[in-house]
Amino acid sequence: MVSLNPVRILRNEAEEERAETARLSSFVGAIAVGDLVKSTLGPKGMDKILVAHGRSAGQVEITNDGATILKAIGVDNPAAKILVDMSRVQDDEVGDGTTSVTVLAAELLREAEKLIEQKIHPQIIIAGWRRATQIALASLEKASVDNSGDPEKFHEDLLNIARTTLSSKILSQNKEYFANLAVEAVVRLKGSGDLSAIQVIKKLGGCMEDSFLDDGFLLDKKPGLHQPKRIEKARILIANTPMDTDKIKVFGSRVRVDAVSKIAELELAEKEKMKDKVNKIVNHNINVFINRQLIYNYPEQLFADAGVMAIEHADFAGIERLALVTGGEIVSTFDHPEMVKLGHCDLVEEVMIGEDTLLRFGGVPLGEACTVVIRGATQQILDEAERSLHDALCVLAATVRETRTVYGGGCSEMLMANAINDEAARTPGKEAVAMEAFSRALRQLPTAIADNAGYDSAQLVSELRAAHSKGDHTTGLDMEQGVVGCMKDLGITESFVVKRQVLLSASEAAEMILRVDNIIKAAPRRRGPDNRPC
Amino acid sequence: MNVMHPAAKMLVELSRSQDIEAGDGTTSVVVIAGSLLEAAEKLLARGIHPSAISDAFQIAANKSVEILTKMSRRIELNDRESLVQSASTSLNSKVVSQHSSQLAPLAVDAILKVTDPAKDDNVDLKDIKVICQLGGTVDDTELVDGLVFTQRPAGANPPRKVEKAKIGLIQFCISPPKTDMDHNVIVSDYAAMDRVLKEERAYILNIVKQIKKAGCNVLLIQKSILRDAVSDLALHFLDKIKVMVIKDVEREDIEFVSKTLNCRPIASLDHFTAENLASADLVEEVSTGGTNKVVKVTGIQNQGKTVTVLVQGSNKLVLAEAERSLHDALCVIRCLVRNRALIAGGGAPETEVSLRLAQYAQTLTGVDSYCLRAYADALEVIPLTLAENAGLNSIATVTELRNRHAQGEQTAGINVRKGAVTNILEEEVVQPLLVSTSAINLATETVRSILKIDDIVNTMQ
């Protein structure tokens, strides 16, 4: 009897999708992800609550940042996974634009779906898109403005960019204040772009406007008992060594004696050893000693005798930053004082924020260092404020390196869309259809912004398009009034790097997903439930 | 409370944050936030965009703080009357309200002792130690200018009272020597065992001799996790030389004790000298209502700026509540140190703000005007709740309150004792300005962030 079962090539439980089904499943996944984050776009975009169900079950986070949302949800669809990854890379590279890039990629795929139905081959679509990307990039570069020659205008640019970045986040309530704060912090970096010199401390209580920028370095620790609470011209030794006991770190080691007096001697010897260690440390001619691990009572007292401020239990990140900021090295042994590099600062003192006392290191040699203290009503607000500030700082640091700027509010998107349309009208062949689809996708970004604000998006976008066609290249959407306006006057500026990265990443990701026409799922090996983020 | 809903969790955090900031008004802030959210819901139903509501609420909050500040009156820290009045108001809503005439001045005295009115603008509440003792009644609560230990003196027959005491605060252990590594003592015959015992005795005798030489007659020993802080043999010797021993002082308490005694904790025997001891006039074991005794140290030379409050209660629940209420009262006075202004209580500020905001809203146009009016109406929930909880007719009371405020009587409030609306300042019901402004600011901020949310996503982390 001839078996009527289809020939089975893959193992049991493995799946394969082909052609239409494969494309459909990738489109559906990507479009779903795009729609999820679309409502957070723009100054009137909304936030989302993320409720954790896995390891940290019951914890709640509020966020507007696309990358954070996407990192938290677990997706199964492979196309969606690609978009999530792309958003993460955008976050790492530039810091902002994570939502825009996801929405743009999703819109491109939505357009592609319609083209496929018209029986246009994916390779043609891809060729059309590549041309469109080049044209868009060229027009974006032409429209960019470079103000690095004029420091005052550049400063104005930075403020505008900070304000625009923060306008869609929770900090938009105190936009002006935080934009000034962020620009001040980045300007202090003097172009190094090393954000690790800016420390962010969160303290519950107060409201967001109580946050401030402190030009010293704050450490969330207290000095030991009876030690000087305030030291000027500090010489700092940063260490990572146990100061509670100097045990032999061999497991199960024991001492066998035959008289109690010997034990007393041993005890005394241990004490002497600790005393020696403290003396060696003090011999470095320091007045502040910071240890990553515990400092027990006896050495604490010895330090107090010597007039040295000893700080214990500082965490890894704090130690590394402190070393960077004060210019010292982290040491573990103290036999060679000459070879050790000490940290320096002008003043170490205690300050009180809310209910806690912290240590402030003022006048550090790395003048770029500073600390931002964020206050807020709840922990979720604090976390989101930190994320938003971090985004703004990343964008500003990127702008300091690559100083060109473009106008936001949908202006650049419309500019690129019009340029592509003009070129498409001159191109024969089916690639023109693909290019027009690309420009339609680009126009969806200002549409989403207008929709989120509740205005008539079709009306506004058509007005915007008309204005750009007439040659008015600084027009964009004004979401305060709900009309089209001049972005230059309103000061809605974005960094060129952000826009370029959004364009390139989105089109690359969309291309890659479009080229797929076969999805093979491997048979899973036996294992427990998978709770990792995707 | 174990809260599941994420927005509710935010309100829990809000209350905690108000506790950190002002210490009192933790209930009011959640009630205000709830009422604002209800108002926002109605506005949303009318089709107003959440960001518009959010912006309008911020304008409303700023204006409210302005109105409150205008209503407030400045005080100086030496105006003890006003301070006691505001502490009493805070205690009036708690279980221990009938003892407020005793607890309020106590709280005021405690804070005044640890602050310097001329230059301080913040109070470290860790300088005031609150010790709870079961037994007696809340009336027996007292302020001790010195130290109180709930641990009894150790030993079989310790001295109960030491005058002209020299106190040593030690962090090492008076017990047979123990190294930090594991160790064993191996004896092979009886003579060796005898020798071991003798050496142990000699070792401890040595330590005790040195203690006696320094002239110490009260010993405070820190609790040690590694070994016995004081061995029985040591206690026996110390008893012989008439030293009062108090052991098991917690590591966290050491800082407070050393600040009060103005002496250093001694970490090893070689530091045990006469200069490192503290002196006090009297260390005595007293009984506090019932069968409990505590050790009081008073008359300390060069005492640091600290103070101890001994709270007593007849059962654990009352005791815990008394401690919490005292903490609230202390926080209220702390608020006054930080922001030296008072406003009348009894629902008067909320009504005033509500009225003036509504007037201001009429001068605006557009969506803002609508939202501000809703905000003003929402604030009325506080006097409404006060009246209802007092058993009065809430609507009649609140409308009369509004009427009186509209006629210019800024200090008209709900007098719960008389059951009517009267001039609340005469009743001496006042609260610090910081509590009200902080409540409004924090509640508005939380409501604004909740308004911005439009989706709840379950995550896998």
Side-chain angles (χ1 to χ4, degrees):
Chain A
M1 171 119 157
V2 177
S3 164
L4 292 170
N5 288 338
V7 178
R8 203 176 174 85
I9 306 175
L10 301 170
R11 188 192 279 215
N12 200 13
E13 279 193 46
E15 290 164 16
E16 185 185 353
E17 288 170 5
R18 287 211 166 126
E20 297 315 313
T21 348
R23 248 190 286 275
L24 197 64
S25 89
S26 16
F27 286 162
V28 159
I31 293 172
V33 167
D35 284 340
L36 178 67
V37 291
K38 206 190 254 194
S39 69
T40 65
L41 203 56
K44 304 279 185 177
M46 308 286 270
D47 296 344
K48 300 209 185 296
I49 287 188
L50 305 172
V51 184
H53 280 277
R55 245 179 310 126
S56 35
Q59 251 187 342
V60 163
E61 262 192 78
I62 298 187
T63 181
N64 176 280
D65 183 31
T68 315
I69 300 172
L70 293 175
K71 265 191 281 216
I73 54 177
V75 274
D76 256 346
N77 185 302
K81 281 198 208 221
I82 295 177
L83 287 188
V84 171
D85 217 25
M86 173 187 69
S87 169
R88 196 164 50 81
V89 168
Q90 176 82 1
D91 198 24
D92 289 338
E93 281 280 315
V94 205
D96 193 30
T98 50
T99 314
S100 313
V101 72
T102 317
V103 171
L104 184 57
E107 288 305 320
L108 281 172
L109 287 170
R110 189 177 268 149
E111 292 294 325
E113 191 185 353
K114 290 188 214 141
L115 292 180
I116 302 271
E117 272 172 38
Q118 289 175 7
K119 302 276 185 256
I120 301 184
H121 194 275
Q123 291 293 6
I124 300 183
I125 304 180
I126 290 174
W129 280 359
R130 288 231 177 105
R131 279 204 67 197
T133 314
Q134 278 167 351
I135 299 168
L137 200 55
S139 75
L140 194 67
E141 277 180 7
K142 210 167 57 150
S144 67
V145 178
D146 190 352
N147 275 334
S148 55
D150 185 347
E152 206 183 285
K153 272 210 177 143
F154 189 55
H155 192 84
E156 195 55 39
D157 267 352
L158 287 179
L159 273 175
N160 283 336
I161 292 180
R163 243 180 264 132
T164 316
T165 313
L166 292 175
S167 63
S168 63
K169 317 264 194 297
I170 201 173
L171 292 177
S172 69
Q173 305 170 2
N174 314 43
K175 209 164 28 171
E176 197 56 50
Y177 183 72
F178 279 99
N180 273 318
L181 200 116
V183 171
E184 204 186 316
V186 169
V187 160
R188 283 175 70 93
L189 287 178
K190 296 208 215 355
S192 72
D194 185 11
L195 286 179
S196 60
I198 304 180
Q199 197 196 19
V200 176
I201 293 190
K202 297 183 278 206
K203 281 271 169 250
L204 200 56
C207 53
M208 284 195 282
E209 277 214 344
D210 293 334
S211 317
F212 58 93
L213 177 75
D214 187 294
D215 64 352
F217 183 81
L218 290 171
L219 192 63
D220 202 350
K221 292 277 169 263
K222 293 207 294 235
L225 288 173
H226 281 279
Q227 286 163 4
K229 301 247 180 273
R230 186 195 152 98
I231 295 194
E232 306 192 356
K233 297 266 174 293
R235 287 180 299 284
I236 307 169
L237 182 64
I238 309 172
N240 181 4
T241 166
M243 293 293 284
D244 45 359
T245 55
D246 242 346
K247 276 204 261 274
I248 300 178
K249 287 193 169 67
V250 177
F251 180 68
S253 58
R254 311 186 131 219
V255 173
R256 288 215 166 98
V257 292
D258 58 357
V260 176
S261 55
K262 295 264 177 38
I263 297 199
E265 278 172 37
L266 276 171
E267 206 189 355
L268 213 59
E270 277 184 352
K271 257 220 282 217
E272 285 298 312
K273 210 162 161 235
M274 183 54 71
K275 201 160 164 194
D276 272 345
K277 190 167 185 179
V278 172
N279 278 341
K280 270 196 275 185
I281 293 177
V282 174
N283 276 343
H284 284 68
N285 192 16
I286 54 168
N287 42 24
V288 179
F289 176 65
I290 302 182
N291 191 17
R292 207 211 114 231
Q293 302 179 35
L294 262 185
I295 299 179
Y296 223 53
N297 297 121
Y298 183 55
E300 191 180 354
Q301 190 164 35
L302 292 173
F303 278 125
D305 281 342
V308 171
M309 185 199 280
I311 301 164
E312 63 176 1
H313 242 323
D315 53 313
F316 268 132
I319 286 275
E320 302 235 345
R321 215 179 246 132
L322 196 60
L324 173 72
V325 156
T326 56
E329 276 181 344
I330 305 181
V331 284
S332 307
T333 58
F334 308 101
D335 295 316
H336 294 277
E338 331 70 70
M339 302 209 294
V340 167
K341 199 158 161 265
L342 295 177
H344 293 270
C345 83
D346 284 341
L347 175 61
V348 181
E349 64 176 347
E350 271 190 334
V351 290
M352 196 161 176
I353 300 181
E355 276 195 339
D356 303 316
T357 27
L358 304 130
L359 274 175
R360 183 176 175 275
F361 294 77
V364 287
L366 192 75
E368 293 102 55
C370 58
T371 309
V372 178
V373 176
I374 302 184
R375 314 290 315 276
T378 68
Q379 188 62 37
Q380 287 85 10
I381 292 182
L382 282 178
D383 290 336
E384 177 63 6
E386 190 200 3
R387 275 191 292 266
S388 317
L389 195 62
H390 180 260
D391 279 355
L393 288 172
C394 284
V395 171
L396 287 175
T399 313
V400 164
R401 271 196 304 266
E402 165 61 75
T403 54
R404 287 180 282 183
T405 63
V406 292
Y407 294 116
C411 169
S412 353
E413 282 83 11
M414 194 51 76
L415 201 102
M416 294 192 278
N418 273 359
I420 297 174
N421 264 342
D422 290 338
E423 189 57 35
R426 282 197 285 270
T427 315
K430 285 193 276 195
E431 282 164 5
V433 185
M435 287 162 76
E436 277 175 8
F438 195 98
S439 83
R440 263 200 303 278
L442 272 174
R443 273 200 293 277
Q444 288 293 35
L445 280 170
T447 314
I449 296 179
D451 272 336
N452 285 345
Y455 298 122
D456 188 350
S457 57
Q459 172 77 11
L460 285 171
V461 170
S462 66
E463 279 178 23
L464 188 60
R465 192 172 172 188
H468 272 265
S469 305
K470 274 200 291 233
D472 200 356
H473 290 299
T474 61
T475 329
L477 293 170
D478 175 7
M479 284 295 101
E480 298 293 318
Q481 310 290 331
V483 291
V484 292
C486 177
M487 297 293 100
K488 198 165 167 187
D489 295 336
L490 290 170
I492 300 183
T493 320
E494 300 243 22
S495 167
F496 172 74
V497 186
V498 173
K499 283 281 179 247
R500 188 183 62 183
Q501 190 71 21
V502 165
L503 182 68
L504 294 177
S505 303
S507 59
E508 264 178 28
E511 255 181 60
M512 190 160 80
I513 297 178
L514 197 53
R515 294 167 83 103
V516 167
D517 80 329
N518 200 341
I519 300 181
I520 303 174
K521 279 207 187 100
R525 66 178 155 89
R526 299 260 148 255
R527 54 162 93 110
D530 181 17
N531 286 331
R532 285 170 304 155
C534 82
Chain B
M1 277 173 73
N2 209 350
V3 185
M4 301 300 290
H5 193 280
K9 275 193 217 242
M10 288 192 69
L11 289 185
V12 169
E13 287 260 342
L14 173 64
S15 181
R16 197 151 61 93
S17 173
Q18 170 80 355
D19 197 27
I20 294 178
E21 185 70 13
D24 196 23
T26 48
T27 319
S28 317
V29 73
V30 177
V31 169
I32 295 180
S35 171
L36 286 176
L37 282 171
E38 211 180 306
E41 197 189 359
K42 294 203 192 87
L43 291 171
L44 283 171
R46 290 201 171 256
I48 306 181
H49 194 273
S51 335
I53 304 179
S54 176
D55 289 334
F57 275 13
Q58 183 63 32
I59 300 177
N62 290 341
K63 195 89 182 95
S64 311
V65 172
E66 230 179 271
I67 299 171
L68 282 175
T69 319
K70 254 200 302 210
M71 282 181 65
S72 69
R73 106 188 127 89
R74 275 198 68 82
I75 56 152
E76 293 305 317
L77 280 187
N78 40 26
D79 183 2
R80 195 158 178 272
E81 262 310 298
S82 315
L83 296 179
V84 172
Q85 279 170 18
S86 46
S88 306
T89 312
S90 151
L91 287 170
N92 270 341
S93 61
K94 316 276 195 284
V95 168
V96 295
S97 55
Q98 70 242 54
H99 302 284
S100 67
S101 55
Q102 190 198 358
L103 290 177
L106 202 126
V108 172
D109 285 332
I111 296 256
L112 284 181
K113 265 214 171 64
V114 302
T115 55
D116 185 358
K119 58 183 181 68
D120 282 347
D121 66 344
N122 205 347
V123 177
D124 193 356
L125 281 183
K126 293 197 252 319
D127 284 340
I128 302 176
K129 191 135 185 71
V130 177
I131 303 213
C132 297
Q133 179 83 328
L134 198 55
T137 60
V138 182
D139 283 329
D140 296 331
T141 305
E142 60 182 311
L143 185 70
V144 176
D145 195 4
L147 276 180
V148 173
F149 293 103
T150 50
Q151 299 94 328
R152 310 278 303 277
N157 198 8
R160 304 272 168 201
K161 177 167 160 164
V162 180
E163 297 181 5
K164 298 268 175 292
K166 288 238 168 290
I167 308 174
L169 176 64
I170 59 172
Q171 290 178 317
F172 59 90
C173 308
I174 312 179
S175 55
K178 187 173 179 295
T179 58
D180 294 309
M181 282 189 292
D182 282 333
H183 64 268
N184 277 338
V185 179
I186 312 235
V187 282
S188 38
D189 60 274
Y190 183 72
M193 195 143 92
D194 202 29
R195 202 177 42 204
V196 164
L197 285 171
K198 280 214 190 68
E199 281 173 352
E200 195 178 315
R201 202 188 153 92
Y203 179 78
I204 295 193
L205 198 55
N206 182 23
I207 298 181
V208 172
K209 276 207 188 113
Q210 199 156 352
I211 292 178
K212 179 158 182 173
K213 204 166 70 161
C216 165
N217 46 21
V218 177
L219 211 55
L220 303 171
I221 308 181
Q222 176 176 319
K223 191 169 178 176
S224 165
I225 41 172
L226 299 172
R227 61 206 231 209
D228 234 355
V230 203
S231 70
D232 292 328
L233 192 58
L235 275 177
H236 171 72
F237 283 139
L238 287 168
D239 208 32
K240 276 222 187 122
I241 57 172
K242 295 269 168 288
V243 170
M244 186 198 282
V245 176
I246 297 176
K247 54 183 186 152
D248 286 341
V249 178
E250 299 280 340
R251 193 167 189 233
E252 303 90 48
D253 290 344
I254 292 279
E255 192 170 336
F256 181 77
V257 171
S258 82
K259 187 169 182 188
T260 312
L261 291 175
N262 201 9
C263 77
R264 294 173 47 169
I266 303 164
S268 79
L269 193 57
D270 33 343
H271 280 110
F272 201 99
T273 54
E275 307 91 59
N276 284 337
L277 299 178
S279 351
D281 281 341
L282 180 60
V283 177
E284 151 173 52
E285 189 185 9
V286 291
S287 70
T288 61
T291 51
N292 288 324
K293 295 182 194 274
V294 293
V295 177
K296 271 201 213 164
V297 180
T298 45
I300 302 174
Q301 253 85 320
N302 300 326
Q303 184 178 339
K305 260 185 177 313
T306 61
V307 83
T308 311
V309 178
L310 181 63
V311 179
Q312 303 197 48
S314 51
N315 62 53
K316 282 212 194 113
L317 299 169
V318 166
L319 192 60
E321 182 61 18
E323 191 200 352
R324 278 190 291 269
S325 316
L326 190 62
H327 172 78
D328 272 359
L330 288 171
C331 288
V332 158
I333 314 279
R334 179 178 72 168
C335 281
L336 283 175
V337 173
R338 273 163 67 174
N339 190 349
R340 296 171 195 202
L342 278 180
I343 48 178
E350 288 82 16
T351 319
E352 181 71 16
V353 170
S354 169
L355 203 63
R356 303 280 164 235
L357 260 187
Q359 283 171 355
Y360 179 67
Q362 284 174 346
T363 63
L364 300 172
T365 57
V367 167
D368 281 348
S369 161
Y370 220 78
C371 299
L372 252 96
R373 215 145 32 97
Y375 190 100
D377 285 339
L379 280 183
E380 272 190 354
V381 74
I382 298 274
L384 266 171
T385 320
L386 276 175
E388 213 172 297
N389 287 350
L392 306 168
N393 182 338
S394 54
I395 298 189
T397 317
V398 172
T399 43
E400 187 181 337
L401 197 58
R402 244 196 269 162
N403 193 354
R404 298 273 279 268
H405 274 263
Q407 284 168 9
E409 247 189 82
Q410 266 190 359
T411 56
I414 301 179
N415 190 336
V416 176
R417 264 181 270 253
K418 290 213 187 105
V421 176
T422 64
N423 183 349
I424 206 81
L425 271 186
E426 283 169 4
E427 288 298 313
E428 302 174 359
V429 175
V430 290
Q431 63 194 42
L433 179 62
L434 186 61
V435 170
S436 304
T437 49
S438 160
I440 288 193
N441 276 333
L442 291 179
T444 311
E445 201 170 281
T446 310
V447 165
R448 294 185 65 188
S449 58
I450 293 182
L451 272 176
K452 262 202 106 183
I453 297 167
D454 77 330
D455 201 359
I456 299 184
V457 178
N458 289 327
T459 73
M460 271 307 128
Q461 284 168 307

